[in-house]
Amino acid sequence: LFSKSLRQAVLPSVIFFNSSISACAKGKQWRQALVLLSAMKLYQLAPSVASFNASINACSSEEAHWEFALSLVDSMIHLYLAPDNITLSTIASLCAESSHWAAALSMLTEAEHSSLTPDIVT
């Protein structure tokens, strides 16, 4: 679908990328999701929090790729995008599933120090 739209000279939007990244997550294609997130720059599109959340979700889709997910949070912060409760709960869940409790607790601590209030899911 992505390559077909490019052949038809349809310029992708942030929503198009987010949908494509989400489809990759559902298809357990985490590497392709990260490629799409990076490709947004080629089209001079700024990834949104939803773009990163979909990519983080893709990292949790088969094997636990918690390191990639954590690096995505760092990228968000570098781009002045604030992780939201979806970001934090996905990261915490991924780290917990991977038996990396220290990283999960670190994310919850970060939430307490930011303007976010961890919810019942987090």
Side-chain angles (χ1 to χ4, degrees), residues 35-51:
V35 166
L36 288 170
L37 182 68
S38 295
M40 292 178 78
K41 294 175 194 171
L42 297 173
Y43 294 96
Q44 299 178 354
L45 296 171
S48 64
V49 172
S51 307

Side-chain angles (χ1 to χ4, degrees), residues 42-106:
L42 297 173
Y43 294 96
Q44 299 178 354
L45 296 171
S48 64
V49 172
S51 307
F52 279 99
N53 285 345
S55 299
I56 290 167
N57 186 42
C59 288
S60 67
S61 65
E62 188 174 299
E63 304 166 13
H65 299 289
W66 64 276
E67 296 103 338
F68 289 111
L70 287 176
S71 72
L72 290 173
V73 174
D74 288 338
S75 296
M76 288 177 74
I77 293 167
H78 180 74
L79 294 172
Y80 302 103
L81 293 172
D84 61 10
N85 278 339
I86 294 170
T87 311
L88 297 176
S89 63
T90 304
I91 290 285
S93 176
L94 179 57
C95 290
E97 289 171 10
S98 304
S99 298
H100 290 89
W101 289 97
L105 291 174
S106 173

